[in-house]
Each structure stands twice: as structure tokens, then as C-alpha cells.
Amino acid sequence: MRAGRSLAWCLLLVLVACAASLPDHASCWSELVPEPAVAAAPGTLRGDFEAAARVRGLEASIVAWQAFLAAHDPGEQGYEDAIHARLVNWARDELRRAEALRRGDDEAAARIEAALRRRAEA
């Protein structure tokens, strides 16, 4: 599992470095939630989520959310706590939104973004 996680994060770093040539894209989370004064440690649920949320560029964002979910989606094992559930579900929606934008489905992306914004306000 660790080797797969490391490979995914290496791929993410390469894509982030190339993101300047891609269309600008940012997660809803990065717009709605202020960046913490102290960043969480990489390899932790919060640290990996914050890293994925800061990624710019549509394709790089898709890869970042996929890597986050590959590392932290518990599948059948269940969530550790409410924060784990919230961050994984938010990541799924961010990924769905980015994929909708990639295929040109602006209406679906707007619906997902509106739902994320309502969730952030709740």
C-alpha cells in the first residue's frame, strides 16, 4: 500500500509542476476554507486532503483527488470518525466536479459546486 501511495504522490508532484500550462482550476475547499496557519503533516488524512485541495489545474486536480481517495477511502472497512467521512466525501465530490469540467459538463459541475458550498456553510 505504501509503495502505491508514494508512486501516486510522485506522479502528483510531476503533474503539479506541469500545471502552469493547464487551465486554471481550484477546489471549492481552497476557496471556502482558509489555509491553516500550520499545515498538517504529509501522509496524514488532513495533510493529504489539504495538499490535494491546493492543487491548481484541472488534470492535476483530478490526479490529486484520485491519489487522496486511493490512500484514504476506507471502502468496506468504514470511516474512523466523522472528520474522515467528511473529508473523503468532499474529495469524492471534488473529483466528480473536476471530471465533469473535463468532459465539458458545466451544468453538472455547477450543481456539484453549489452542493459543496451549501455543505461548507452548514
Side-chain angles (χ1 to χ4, degrees):
M1 178 77 165
R2 272 204 193 278
R5 183 185 297 182
S6 296
L7 179 61
W9 284 107
C10 287
L11 178 59
L12 173 63
L13 292 175
V14 169
L15 285 172
V16 169
C18 298
S21 64
L22 298 172
D24 193 36
H25 169 80
S27 73
C28 292
W29 183 273
S30 65
E31 296 172 13
L32 297 171
V33 179
E35 194 166 324
V38 177
T44 64
L45 175 71
R46 196 176 113 217
D48 291 349
F49 185 91
E50 290 171 2
R54 284 192 303 270
V55 170
R56 305 294 280 191
L58 187 56
E59 293 300 323
S61 181
I62 288 170
V63 171
W65 291 120
Q66 288 171 335
F68 173 82
L69 290 169
H72 298 288
D73 190 334
E76 298 294 320
Q77 296 174 8
Y79 300 106
E80 295 173 15
D81 54 27
I83 293 170
H84 187 199
R86 179 178 183 180
L87 294 181
V88 168
N89 287 316
W90 190 289
R92 284 185 191 135
D93 287 343
E94 288 280 8
L95 177 60
R96 287 183 34 242
R97 176 176 167 257
E99 289 172 338
L101 288 169
R102 179 171 60 184
R103 52 174 200 273
D105 191 348
D106 294 339
E107 288 182 28
R111 280 193 306 274
I112 295 166
E113 181 175 347
L116 286 169
R117 289 181 183 280
R118 283 191 303 275
R119 193 183 308 161
E121 294 169 359

